[in-house]
Amino acid sequence: MNAVVQGHERVISLAEAIREGIEESFAKDENTFLFAQGVSDPSSMWGTLKGIDNRFGEDRVIEMPIAENGAVGIAVGAAIAGQRPIISFHRVEFALLAFEQIVNNAAKSSYISNGQHKVPLVIRMVIGRGWGQGPEHSQSLEPLFAYFPGLKVVMPAFAGDAKGMLIAAIEDDNPVIFIEHRFLHNSTGHVPEGYYKNALDGPRVVREGKDVTIVATSHGVLEAMRAADVLHKIGCSAEVIDMRVLRPLNVAPIVASVRKTGRLVTVDTGFVRFGIGAEILASVMTEAFNALKAAPVRLGLPDHPTPSSRGLIPGFYPDSQRIVREVGKMLSLDQAKVDSALKELDIQRKDLQIDQPDPFFKGPF
Amino acid sequence: MLRIRLIEEAIADHYAEGEMRCPVHLSIGQEAIAVGTCAALETSDKVYSTHRCHAHYLAKGGDLKRMMAEICGKAAGCVGGRGGSMHLMDVPKGVMASIPIVSSSIPVAVGSALADKRMRNGKVTVAFFGDASVEEGVFHESANFASLHKLPVIFLCENNLYSVYTPIDQRQPNRPLTDLAKAHGMQAAHGDGNDLDECYRLSVQAVERARNDQGPTLLVLDTYRWREHCGPAFDDHLGYRKEGELKKWEQRDPIRRFREKLGITFDAKMESAMSAEITAEIEEARAFARATPLPDPSQATRHVYA
């Protein structure tokens, strides 16, 4: 996909933004190297690694044997010795094979060594969704990683932020779990050229509002934005917060927003139970209980694995329509208005199938 | 070897006093491997160890006072009381980390070698591990990668015949452990881990190969743990060891054998002088560990992030 210039802003896909982030970091620091399975594949991990081997040479791009736990351990050892490895897993699920090294050595080396060791390591992993990928290629397991002190967990929603946060993650002296949603790779956005960093400092308000705070992660942010657009048309002003960084958790912007709106909806890409939304709700209720005008609502996945068939998917993912319905209930909005908002979302989707990316995306899956 | 033996015995003798409040895995009986291997290394070379790390730490030059302080949970400990006996490290001496999850340190050691190869600094890394480690997948993942990239790393397997209470013949088929290296296209050697000269000689060869870009080596050195898996005591009465096995291995005591080899060049008088010097050093380290303060509770939250 070529860059499209809209006004003065260059628009490229999130996948291309990731690739640019890696390239900028490679150009800046020769200790940075990439470690992935199929690192020189023609598919180039959906374009995120395209041409990097040709530009920077084989020495910077190391093929990783099919050995995830070993690979993470090797990367930890290299990081302790002063290198800055980037590992890419094609799906989150493969990182489960590396959980031991991630939890025991990546997350704890700084702590156990009393600050003598640093582990500047980025582990990219991709959440699959759609086209029948099913129970073991579509899991959102970010709470597992966010559980551990010592790890940073980043989930970008926008292309420009993805590039800036990836560069920041590579330069960070800590292990960073960088989780990309497969539905976002083809999404496009304004991405500045060249080198820049976006701080890994936590949630940001991406749309201001006064009636309800919607806190979302990753692809959920796009669903929340779409919901906020149609809610605005029926007179409801929703504030949307992009979580960006799950750990270290910075709840201050969320608490500040809820103090203003008095209402909270969370939109997870993972399970509702024991999910990110649970942690956000607990934190907000502890810090701003008196500010709440209504019981908060958590949206996320139900308590069963992701089925493959599109016949089993309806209702599984929390989409913009569900967000609108929940906000409607929470604010006792006029049902006719809510129905009109839902209808508009229906029209936006047109003939889009349930197992395909939404209209925010271009190109085939 | 004598120094390590006396330090370990002092830990065992004083363990019941309750000052050393963490699990200890003593190296008594296994000293020759640590000493022989580390004698073949430069200070700038690196080792990664396991839960049974005291001998490796000491043989590589790790600071005794900071080790004793660490075992006593003190702020002056080598990692400030964060790890205890199983997490000894002395980075300036090249004891990079001790990691007590079986095989967990092996890929980290390989990564260290990968970084050194990329930086072309000529350093060698040794991963010490026990016989059970080769049962873990990550040993094979690490060996495959190290061999593929000809990394300057030595896989040093101390085969002490037991994983906790379970003998190796209940866990592994009867085949030479060095065959595992063959499967990974790697050099290997097998030797008597209670013979200091042999440990040193095989280590020198492996270090030379690593330094000359000829890739990794698996060294399998046979030895025996005299005391319990974890703790200060002998445990022969539990009956998990074969009858007479401990006695047989005590006859093969690496210190006694080296003493015999040295013959008249190392007489009883010299040994008792050496023992007295070591004992004084141990007493000084123990006194230091006792007297030095516990870490302040406020330190517990530091260094979660770099």
Side-chain angles (χ1 to χ4, degrees):
Chain A
M1 203 185 309
N2 293 319
V4 180
V5 176
Q6 290 182 350
H8 297 296
E9 297 186 339
R10 187 183 61 134
V11 173
I12 60 173
S13 72
L14 186 136
E16 290 169 307
I18 295 282
R19 194 203 68 225
E20 286 191 0
I22 295 170
E23 287 182 331
E24 293 295 337
S25 300
F26 267 42
K28 194 157 180 276
D29 183 355
E30 60 175 21
N31 288 322
T32 306
F33 70 91
L34 192 69
F35 200 26
Q37 290 168 4
V39 80
S40 300
D41 282 358
S43 63
S44 64
M45 205 170 161
W46 308 293
T48 64
L49 306 180
K50 197 174 177 184
I52 290 179
D53 51 346
N54 289 332
R55 183 171 163 199
F56 293 97
E58 280 177 12
D59 189 42
R60 305 287 294 280
V61 176
I62 299 177
E63 179 63 30
M64 179 170 103
I66 312 303
E68 290 78 6
N69 202 36
V72 172
I74 289 164
V76 169
I80 287 173
Q83 303 274 294
R84 289 188 180 273
I86 306 164
I87 286 188
S88 294
F89 288 124
H90 283 66
R91 284 291 181 274
V92 173
E93 285 84 348
F94 296 109
L96 293 177
L97 291 157
F99 214 51
E100 190 275 317
Q101 286 295 327
I102 294 172
V103 170
N104 283 328
N105 295 337
K108 293 181 182 56
S109 285
S110 169
Y111 189 82
I112 293 173
S113 70
N114 207 13
Q116 296 173 82
H117 289 322
K118 297 185 289 197
V119 184
L121 163 67
V122 174
I123 307 178
R124 293 174 59 208
M125 44 188 93
V126 175
I127 300 172
R129 176 173 165 181
W131 208 252
Q133 292 177 76
E136 296 181 0
H137 271 63
S138 309
Q139 296 180 78
S140 279
L141 301 177
E142 56 276 10
L144 299 189
F145 302 100
Y147 188 67
F148 294 99
L151 297 178
K152 293 190 176 182
V153 181
V154 174
M155 291 183 85
F158 300 103
D161 203 23
K163 177 176 170 182
M165 287 205 291
L166 182 58
I167 292 173
I170 294 167
E171 291 184 14
D172 201 289
D173 281 338
N174 296 285
V176 180
I177 308 293
F178 194 90
I179 303 177
E180 300 158 29
H181 196 289
R182 184 67 192 92
F183 263 20
L184 291 177
H185 276 143
N186 294 337
S187 69
T188 57
H190 169 223
V191 179
E193 288 188 74
Y195 172 89
Y196 65 94
K197 274 200 290 187
N198 287 10
L200 307 181
D201 55 0
R204 284 197 187 156
V205 175
V206 291
R207 181 191 176 106
E208 290 195 3
K210 58 182 176 44
D211 297 327
V212 58
T213 300
I214 307 173
V215 182
T217 52
S218 186
H219 179 255
V221 178
L222 300 197
E223 296 285 1
M225 292 290 271
R226 200 141 55 112
D229 277 343
V230 296
L231 284 166
H232 177 72
K233 290 183 184 167
I234 62 169
C236 172
S237 162
E239 181 143 300
V240 179
I241 294 182
D242 173 5
M243 275 301 289
R244 301 177 69 247
V245 178
L246 307 184
R247 181 178 272 280
L249 180 62
N250 173 15
V251 289
I254 302 168
V255 170
S257 175
V258 173
R259 283 194 196 283
K260 179 172 69 173
T261 65
R263 298 179 185 87
L264 173 64
V265 176
T266 61
V267 186
D268 255 308
T269 49
F271 293 118
V272 169
R273 297 235 181 263
F274 304 100
I276 298 301
E279 183 59 42
I280 294 170
L281 253 69
S283 300
V284 167
M285 284 195 273
T286 306
E287 294 192 28
F289 187 72
N290 290 333
L292 289 167
K293 296 175 189 162
V297 167
R298 283 181 289 166
L299 300 181
L301 306 183
D303 265 351
H304 63 79
T306 315
S308 173
S309 167
R310 63 194 182 282
L312 296 168
I313 289 294
F316 185 72
Y317 290 105
D319 55 12
S320 50
Q321 281 157 313
R322 180 118 57 95
I323 297 167
V324 167
R325 279 198 301 273
E326 291 295 339
V327 170
K329 270 193 277 180
M330 187 183 266
L331 280 130
S332 305
L333 298 179
D334 178 72
Q335 193 55 46
K337 286 182 175 176
V338 171
D339 288 344
S340 74
L342 293 171
K343 196 169 175 197
E344 182 171 347
L345 289 172
D346 259 347
I347 292 164
Q348 282 178 15
R349 282 194 71 84
K350 289 186 197 146
D351 301 327
L352 199 70
Q353 301 263 345
I354 197 165
D355 57 347
Q356 289 176 294
D358 65 33
F360 276 74
F361 302 88
K362 295 176 179 174
F365 179 68
Chain B
M1 285 197 292
L2 185 62
R3 180 168 174 263
I4 295 169
R5 173 71 55 87
L6 293 176
I7 291 166
E8 295 287 66
E9 284 179 346
I11 292 170
D13 290 347
H14 295 280
Y15 194 72
E17 292 166 14
E19 284 288 318
M20 295 178 269
R21 303 171 83 87
C22 63
V24 291
H25 302 77
L26 302 180
S27 312
I28 294 171
Q30 306 189 188
E31 298 89 344
I33 298 171
V35 173
T37 306
C38 291
L41 298 173
E42 304 291 334
T43 303
S44 56
D45 291 326
K46 298 183 269 189
V47 303
Y48 276 87
S49 182
T50 66
H51 54 286
R52 199 174 306 287
C53 58
H54 297 183
H56 307 141
Y57 173 92
L58 292 166
K60 190 70 175 57
D63 185 275
L64 176 61
K65 282 184 181 169
R66 300 193 70 197
M67 168 180 158
M68 296 308 287
E70 185 60 37
I71 297 174
C72 291
K74 300 302 181 70
C78 57
V79 291
R82 283 144 187 275
S85 153
M86 293 189 282
H87 287 279
L88 299 184
M89 66 174 75
D90 188 328
V91 175
K93 294 293 163 75
V95 187
M96 298 307 290
S98 301
I99 301 174
I101 299 303
V102 178
S103 280
S104 184
S105 58
I106 298 175
V108 184
V110 170
S112 157
L114 173 68
D116 290 333
K117 181 157 183 168
R118 290 174 63 78
M119 296 187 273
R120 295 184 178 83
N121 60 20
K123 292 182 187 176
V124 172
T125 303
V126 175
F128 286 106
F129 51 86
D131 44 289
S133 282
V134 305
E135 294 158 29
E136 292 281 2
V138 81
F139 161 76
H140 298 276
E141 298 181 13
S142 305
N144 175 65
F145 186 84
S147 181
L148 177 69
H149 289 277
K150 288 199 177 318
L151 298 183
V153 62
I154 296 164
F155 295 89
L156 206 147
C157 177
E158 300 179 323
N159 179 11
N160 71 9
L161 305 175
Y162 288 87
S163 172
V164 192
Y165 298 121
T166 309
I168 192 166
D169 61 9
Q170 286 182 26
R171 298 181 282 113
Q172 295 180 28
N174 184 16
R175 49 86 178 92
L177 285 166
T178 45
D179 281 6
L180 298 173
K182 254 186 239 167
H184 293 293
M186 195 197 300
Q187 294 287 328
H190 171 241
D192 181 345
N194 281 16
D195 178 340
L196 180 63
D197 283 338
E198 187 155 313
C199 293
Y200 176 70
R201 184 176 55 80
L202 293 175
S203 297
V204 166
Q205 289 169 2
V207 169
E208 221 170 75
R209 263 199 294 275
R211 253 201 255 287
N212 295 332
D213 240 2
Q214 292 170 299
T217 304
L218 171 66
L219 286 187
V220 178
L221 298 171
D222 297 336
T223 187
Y224 196 73
R225 158 171 59 81
W226 289 10
R227 301 203 184 197
E228 57 193 336
H229 160 70
C230 177
F234 286 95
D235 65 355
D236 205 21
H237 63 283
L238 294 178
Y240 70 93
R241 301 171 193 255
K242 289 190 188 92
E243 206 169 317
E245 191 179 69
L246 174 62
K247 197 149 237 130
K248 189 185 97 190
W249 280 92
E250 281 175 338
Q251 298 298 317
R252 304 183 57 202
D253 176 4
I255 296 176
R256 177 200 289 198
R257 288 169 67 190
F258 194 62
R259 187 190 286 128
E260 284 166 7
K261 214 173 237 183
L262 290 172
I264 53 160
T265 59
F266 189 69
D267 61 19
K269 207 171 144 191
M270 287 168 76
E271 181 165 346
S272 69
M274 190 186 261
S275 295
E277 201 179 308
I278 294 166
T279 305
E281 186 201 2
I282 294 170
E283 285 315 304
E284 195 189 339
R286 286 187 54 235
F288 170 78
R290 261 197 314 273
T292 194
L294 286 166
D296 190 88
S298 67
Q299 299 296 298
T301 56
R302 292 190 68 207
H303 303 304
V304 174
Y305 292 97

